[in-house]
């Protein structure tokens, strides 16, 4: 009689950090096979994968922080056809009771992946959408810093000497920027001269940041047109809104199996809050808040331009709902429409 050795089915878990990743391996029965640390370099990623595969057939890896410290490792695993799921950080109450350590977190990540607690497929982060995400980081900081500079200018103008205040107070912000950016420094140190110099500095900063935003928007427009022309054609969807939605979906939107999954990702799916004889749903405050904001902008635009949306809002308000509640309902419908326009693969199109 011939004995056949069945290869062990391995599930991995990784607790990610800036310089070191801690990995754990479990067999198909959940038994811990080992825990090891690896550097966060390409050679470290290769060594980690080889270490996991040495135990048997690697089926799944749960990675904590696939979008931050674990991004490089996630790309490496996906490039080698290894299934990766995103693992949330360990429960804080459990941490307080049992303590915390990197090996313990790595084992917890593996158990979450093996037990089905972690089911969200990781984003590949290797295409146009990842480029959009990077650009949006710079765009968001540029817009924030520009707003800060404008607010500082308004504050300075409101407390400036009367002559300078009278010159600037009734102008639009664009006229203020144009005029203040042309102020000349005379070398004097009186309050009026120094205020003018400060306003010039802030105005030039704001104008420079505005040019940065425009340059980023031009690049985003090209990327969105190449990646999702159907999404760009949806009523109320501009470049900023489309890029926010695409970043939420990722370079591999086929990981979103249905439009209800996408709605939950955007935080527009009502959550069941029933108890006993009471049946009700509550607002979902989780999900990607930038995608949620993008859906709100679509609804707000349609409330101005689309007669159907206006009629829907009016009808809902006559039924006793507030305007805010009607908008929440509309965001759910818009999520369904937007999901159909995502650049999904044939695999995703086959799902309900």
């Amino acid at each position: 009689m011939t004995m056949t050795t069945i290869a062990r089915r391995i599930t991995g878990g990784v607790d990610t950090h800036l310089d070191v990743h801690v990995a754990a391996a479990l067999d198909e029965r959940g038994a811990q096979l080992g825990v090891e640390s690896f550097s966060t370099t390409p050679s470290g990623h290769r060594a980690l994968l080889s270490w996991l595969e040495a135990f048997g057939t690697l089926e799944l890896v749960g990675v904590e922080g696939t979008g931050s410290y674990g991004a490089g490792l996630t790309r490496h695993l996906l490039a080698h056809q290894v299934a990766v799921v995103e693992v949330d950080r360990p429960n804080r109450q459990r941490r307080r009771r049992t303590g915390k350590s990197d090996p313990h977190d790595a084992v917890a990540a593996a158990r979450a992946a093996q037990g089905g607690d972690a089911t969200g497929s990781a984003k590949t982060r290797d295409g146009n959408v990842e480029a959009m995400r990077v650009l949006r980081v710079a765009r968001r900081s540029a817009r924030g810093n520009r707003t800060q500079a404008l607010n500082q200018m308004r504050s300075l103008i409101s407390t400036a000497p009367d002559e300078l205040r009278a010159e600037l107070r009734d102008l639009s912000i664009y006229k203020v920027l144009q005029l203040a950016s042309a102020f000349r420094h005379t070398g004097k140190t009186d309050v009026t001269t120094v205020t003018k110099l400060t306003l010039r500095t802030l105005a030039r900063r704001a104008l420079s940041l505005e040019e940065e935003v425009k340059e980023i928007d031009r690049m985003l427009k090209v990327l969105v047109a190449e990646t999702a022309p159907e999404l760009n054609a949806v009523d109320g969807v501009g470049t900023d809104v489309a890029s926010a939605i695409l970043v939420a979906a990722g370079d591999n939107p086929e990981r979103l199996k249905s439009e209800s999954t996408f709605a939950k990702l955007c935080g527009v799916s009502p959550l069941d809050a029933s108890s006993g004889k009471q049946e009700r749903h509550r607002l979902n405050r989780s999900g990607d808040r930038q995608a949620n904001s993008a859906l709100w902008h679509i609804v707000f635009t349609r409330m101005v331009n689309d007669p159907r949306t206006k009629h829907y809002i009016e009808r809902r308000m006559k039924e006793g709902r507030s305007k805010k509640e009607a908008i929440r309902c509309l965001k759910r419908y818009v999520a369904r429409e937007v999901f159909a326009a995502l650049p999904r693969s044939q695999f995703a199109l086959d799902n309900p």
Side-chain angles (χ1 to χ4, degrees), residues 41-52:
T41 61
S43 60
H45 297 159
R46 290 192 294 270
L48 189 152
L49 179 57
S50 299
W51 180 78
L52 288 173

Side-chain angles (χ1 to χ4, degrees), residues 181-304:
S181 63
F183 284 155
R184 299 180 63 184
H185 181 41
T186 60
K188 298 180 180 180
T189 57
D190 59 281
V191 174
T192 301
T193 302
V194 172
T195 303
K196 282 186 174 182
L197 176 61
T198 304
L199 288 172
R200 184 186 72 170
T201 301
L202 292 172
R204 292 181 177 181
R205 182 185 303 170
L207 290 171
S208 175
L209 291 169
E210 186 175 348
E211 288 301 316
E212 287 184 19
V213 171
K214 289 180 179 179
E215 182 180 2
I216 292 172
D217 283 343
R218 287 192 291 268
M219 298 175 67
L220 284 173
K221 187 174 182 179
V222 173
L223 289 170
V224 169
E226 291 178 354
T227 307
E230 292 183 5
L231 177 61
N232 215 15
V234 173
D235 184 23
V237 176
T239 300
D240 184 44
V241 168
S243 61
I245 292 171
L246 288 170
V247 168
D251 280 298
N252 51 331
E254 60 271 11
R255 68 195 182 91
L256 304 171
K257 299 301 190 298
S258 65
E259 55 89 13
S260 60
T261 305
F262 177 71
K264 187 174 182 180
L265 172 66
C266 297
V268 295
S269 59
L271 299 180
D272 194 358
S274 302
S275 179
K277 296 181 179 180
Q278 185 182 39
E279 294 184 5
R280 70 182 185 90
H281 290 78
R282 68 171 178 85
L283 175 67
N284 187 349
R285 297 187 182 278
S286 62
D288 190 304
R289 305 320 296 169
Q290 292 190 41
N292 188 287
S293 176
L295 295 179
W296 181 89
H297 278 89
I298 296 174
V299 171
F300 189 81
T301 301
R302 292 184 179 184
M303 286 171 60
V304 177

Side-chain angles (χ1 to χ4, degrees), residues 109-125:
R111 296 200 186 282
Q114 188 177 59
D117 292 333
T119 58
S121 299
K123 297 178 182 179
T124 57
R125 298 181 181 274

Side-chain angles (χ1 to χ4, degrees), residues 98-161:
T98 63
K100 179 196 179 302
S101 68
D102 293 341
H104 181 273
D105 288 348
V107 173
R111 296 200 186 282
Q114 188 177 59
D117 292 333
T119 58
S121 299
K123 297 178 182 179
T124 57
R125 298 181 181 274
D126 58 357
N128 283 354
V129 175
E130 178 64 7
M132 293 180 208
R133 186 191 68 82
V134 173
L135 287 171
R136 285 180 60 83
V137 171
R139 185 182 190 276
R140 186 163 57 251
S141 64
R143 284 180 60 87
N145 291 335
R146 180 180 181 274
T147 300
Q148 183 182 43
L150 294 178
N151 290 338
Q152 290 170 340
M153 289 184 67
R154 291 188 180 98
S155 177
L156 287 174
I157 291 171
S158 66
T159 59

